Amino acid sequence: MSSVEKAGAGPETVPPRRFGLPQRVSSKIGGDSRHAALLRYLGVRLLMIPLTAWILVTLVFFLMRVIGDPISAAMGGRMTQEQIEIRKEAAGLNRPILSQYWEYLSNLLRLDFGHSQDNREISEVITTYGAATLELVFWSLLVAFAVGVPLGRWAATHRDSTSDAVLRIFAILAYAAPVFFVGLLLKLVFAIQLGWLPVAGRASTNVELRLQHVSPKTNIMVIDAILYGNNDYLIDVLKHAVLPAIALGLLTAGVFLRLVRINLIQTLRSDYVDAARARGLSSRVVTGRHAFRNAMIPIVTVMGMYIAMMIGGAVLTETTFEWKGLGFQLAEYLKARDFIAVQGIVAFIAVAIAVMSFIVDAIVALIDPRVRF
């Protein structure tokens, strides 16, 4: 017997050679690949922002030109044809449409959204009234989450019960009911009959006048009231926000309710949830710690789409409650047939929706790694 065999180092005792990289190196490479996949996914989504905005802005531009030139649409019947032609020449509307289109795109790159018929910059209108719409959408989202998510969780954990059926009917009605109809009902009940809340506006007249002098002015009434330092003004502003926020928030609350219910029911059937139950965890812990978090991922996914829907619904909500935001001003420009102003506001909303879509995609990619593989 050889000395190697005597030492117990024969072929049968030599540990098999392991091929590949060490565990620490392989885990580092895996982490780098995941990081690269995330950057690649976000890079593609980032490149889609200008593409999406360009498509939407182009559609708005040419659709507005289908109805004729904006000067004739706004001033027809109030000016002579010669005066209209002079205005068209000054605005450059007599040039070829492609020339107008390239100039419009170059102005948008400089954040110049044009001028209204009263010679007011659309960028100024967006800055002034966009803050009001942002405030309304924020309050509406709070209502949507406060109503839709807990009720959806309750419906999923009490599946096929009477309360589940009632909540499903409520979700359908909340989503299907026109926002202006819900707003009128809320005004009739809580403002006129009960007298608990104001009928319309963002604040009382005296409060709104006082808040015009706050510095720095944000055009967001709640922040301006806090900066002013008067609690009565803050309460007045909050009261005015209740009914518009409920009217617009219920539209999205119905969608959230159904999404949470369906996804939570599917998650509760998963193997890891059964394993958690087998370990003796209570139903509250299983639902809250294990199932509910994963069921919330689709909510974040569709949030951007329904924020865009809220911006569209804000036109009707702001008109119903005389909430002087971007939607209210857009309706005023439509009634005045000021299509240059309408075009500028719609173009801004299109860009805002594209940016919001990217932000939501980024949040979803950070929460759920599966979307980038």
Side-chain angles (χ1 to χ4, degrees):
M1 182 180 294
S2 65
S3 59
V4 174
E5 292 176 334
K6 288 180 181 178
E12 69 277 7
T13 61
V14 176
R17 185 177 180 181
R18 296 182 179 178
F19 296 94
L21 296 172
Q23 182 178 0
R24 183 178 300 175
V25 176
S26 62
S27 62
K28 181 179 179 180
I29 293 177
D32 292 341
S33 64
R34 288 193 295 269
H35 184 67
L38 175 61
L39 292 178
R40 184 170 58 253
Y41 174 81
L42 294 179
V44 172
R45 297 299 180 188
L46 187 62
L47 291 175
M48 290 179 63
I49 293 179
L51 177 62
T52 304
W54 171 71
I55 293 174
L56 293 174
V57 165
T58 301
L59 288 175
V60 170
F61 178 86
F62 286 103
L63 286 175
M64 285 296 175
R65 293 306 185 274
V66 169
I67 60 176
D69 68 272
I71 303 296
S72 299
M75 299 299 177
R78 292 187 289 173
M79 286 186 175
T80 64
Q81 188 62 34
E82 293 181 357
Q83 291 174 324
I84 291 177
E85 291 298 327
I86 292 174
R87 283 212 170 192
K88 288 169 62 176
E89 184 69 28
L93 296 176
N94 288 331
R95 293 177 299 168
I97 189 169
L98 289 180
S99 177
Q100 299 179 42
Y101 173 66
W102 290 118
E103 183 182 2
Y104 179 65
L105 287 183
S106 63
N107 289 335
L108 285 182
L109 292 176
R110 298 194 301 268
L111 298 180
D112 182 5
F113 293 90
H115 292 75
S116 61
Q117 294 294 343
D118 55 1
N119 203 30
R120 187 177 183 185
E121 290 187 3
I122 305 302
S123 56
E124 180 188 349
V125 174
I126 292 171
T127 303
T128 303
Y129 295 97
T133 299
L134 180 64
E135 183 180 7
L136 176 59
V137 170
F138 173 77
W139 294 124
S140 302
L141 276 176
L142 287 183
V143 172
F145 278 104
V147 174
V149 175
L151 293 183
R153 178 172 175 171
W154 176 273
T157 55
H158 297 78
R159 184 185 178 189
D160 296 331
S161 64
T162 303
S163 59
D164 179 31
V166 172
L167 289 176
R168 279 185 286 172
I169 294 173
F170 166 76
I172 294 173
L173 292 176
Y175 178 74
V179 64
F180 66 88
F181 177 72
V182 176
L184 290 175
L185 285 181
L186 291 174
K187 289 173 66 174
L188 181 63
V189 175
F190 294 100
I192 297 176
Q193 292 187 353
L194 298 177
W196 292 350
L197 296 168
V199 176
R202 298 179 63 195
S204 300
T205 304
N206 63 321
V207 174
E208 193 167 355
L209 291 175
R210 292 291 182 88
L211 294 182
Q212 293 294 327
H213 304 289
V214 70
S215 180
K217 185 172 176 57
T218 63
N219 292 315
I220 299 177
M221 284 291 185
V222 173
I223 297 179
D224 289 344
I226 293 173
L227 293 176
Y228 196 89
N230 191 313
N231 292 331
D232 293 335
Y233 292 175
L234 179 60
I235 293 173
D236 181 81
V237 169
L238 292 175
K239 284 183 177 180
H240 280 79
V242 171
L243 294 184
I246 292 175
L248 186 56
L250 287 179
L251 176 70
T252 309
V255 179
F256 285 178
L257 194 159
R258 292 180 64 85
L259 281 174
V260 171
R261 178 187 178 275
I262 293 171
N263 286 282
L264 187 54
I265 288 175
Q266 293 176 349
T267 307
L268 288 172
R269 296 174 178 173
S270 303
D271 293 337
Y272 69 89
V273 174
D274 293 335
R277 290 196 182 103
R279 293 200 303 268
L281 298 178
S282 64
S283 298
R284 176 179 296 181
V285 174
V286 170
T287 301
R289 186 178 300 174
H290 296 277
F292 184 66
R293 291 181 180 179
N294 289 334
M296 283 298 294
I297 292 177
I299 300 296
V300 180
T301 305
V302 302
M303 186 190 304
M305 180 178 63
Y306 283 97
I307 289 176
M309 181 184 294
M310 279 187 169
I311 295 175
V315 177
L316 297 175
T317 307
E318 291 176 1
T319 305
T320 302
F321 289 95
E322 297 181 18
W323 184 281
K324 294 182 180 179
L326 205 57
F328 179 85
Q329 197 64 27
L330 180 62
E332 293 296 315
Y333 283 136
L334 282 170
K335 288 188 288 186
R337 295 186 178 182
D338 191 344
F339 293 125
I340 295 179
V342 172
Q343 177 180 276
I345 293 175
V346 173
F348 169 77
I349 293 175
V351 174
I353 291 173
V355 174
M356 182 60 65
S357 177
F358 167 75
I359 294 174
V360 172
D361 287 340
I363 294 174
V364 173
L366 293 173
I367 295 176
D368 188 4
R370 294 173 297 179
V371 302
R372 55 182 188 267
F373 291 104

